[in-house]
Amino acid sequence: GENVEQHPSTLSVQEGDSAVIKCTYSDSASNYFPWYKQELGKRPQLIIDIRSNVGEKKDQRIAVTLNKTAKHFSLHITETQPEDSAVYFCAASINTGANSKLTFGKGITLSVRP
Amino acid sequence: KAGVTQTPRYLIKTRGQQVTLSCSPISGHRSVSWYQQTPGQGLQFLFEYFSETQRNKGNFPGRFSGRQFSNSRSEMNVSTLELGDSALYLCASSLRAGYDGGYTFGSGTRLTVV
């Protein structure tokens, strides 16, 4: 089955700096890659996603890039703010219908120092 | 529009006991997936139910089971609890079977086994 790995496991940045979180996946058939943010004590929420026919997607301060050849994708956060501090999960799915399922990485704890 | 509701929010059980957790999906959503979240292991897929049928199952022992009712509400049961079952159990609902990008997570049930 699919295996998703995230690196590093923790990341600390200074407020205003950029943060990059990387994920790798194992199944070349995976074609949908969402990112979830989970603040302390709260539920995971989708923040951005990308499909395999797109190399990059941006939404204000966040962007995701995908390298299908290398089977890795990354989350980029620019101008980080303290409220960006959270656990970020990447995931991969073979989104081909009723039997698709989402496989998550183990999560990365991002700390933004004020 | 009400979100995904999980009850109870917190549970403390003793080893060997059994426990039942409940998840009410967003109105109109027919798919419910369950995940176990533990520190360092991230979100691990337990199972997915759609129209009262289990469509997908993760790699968990048979002590973990679930079901879905005609109103799409789902329950998961863990029998013969072990200390390692202590975790946050999250459910996510979506409109259709499989992962279609429309996952909404509940706030979870935190189970502590002593």
Side-chain angles (χ1 to χ4, degrees), chain B residues 6 23-24 49 98 103 105 109:
Chain B
Q6 291 189 246
C23 173
S24 294
Y49 286 88
Y103 257 25
F105 281 94
T109 294

Side-chain angles (χ1 to χ4, degrees), chain A residues 1-20:
Chain A
E2 175 66 278
N3 183 45
V4 177
E5 294 190 354
Q6 294 188 240
H7 305 278
S9 58
T10 61
L11 181 62
S12 180
V13 299
Q14 191 71 39
E15 182 177 359
D17 287 351
S18 295
V20 181

Side-chain angles (χ1 to χ4, degrees), chain B residues 5 13 16 18 45 52 56 65 70 72 77 92 104-105 111 113:
Chain B
T5 303
K13 290 287 187 179
Q18 74 165 14
F45 175 75
E52 303 177 63
N56 254 316
S65 63
S70 58
S72 295
N77 182 275
T104 301
F105 281 94
L111 171 65
V113 182

Side-chain angles (χ1 to χ4, degrees), chain B residues 10-65:
Chain B
Y10 302 93
L11 265 178
I12 300 176
K13 290 287 187 179
T14 304
R15 270 183 303 175
Q17 287 186 313
Q18 74 165 14
V19 66
T20 299
L21 313 181
S22 177
C23 173
S24 294
I26 290 173
S27 178
H29 282 195
R30 296 169 60 195
S31 172
V32 175
S33 297
W34 288 89
Y35 288 84
Q36 182 194 65
Q37 184 177 15
T38 54
Q41 291 301 313
L43 292 156
Q44 294 188 289
F45 175 75
L46 281 154
F47 27 65
E48 180 202 0
Y49 286 88
F50 180 80
S51 292
E52 303 177 63
T53 301
Q54 187 181 87
R55 299 190 67 87
N56 254 316
K57 190 177 191 309
N59 297 323
F60 278 82
R63 300 185 296 108
F64 291 81
S65 63

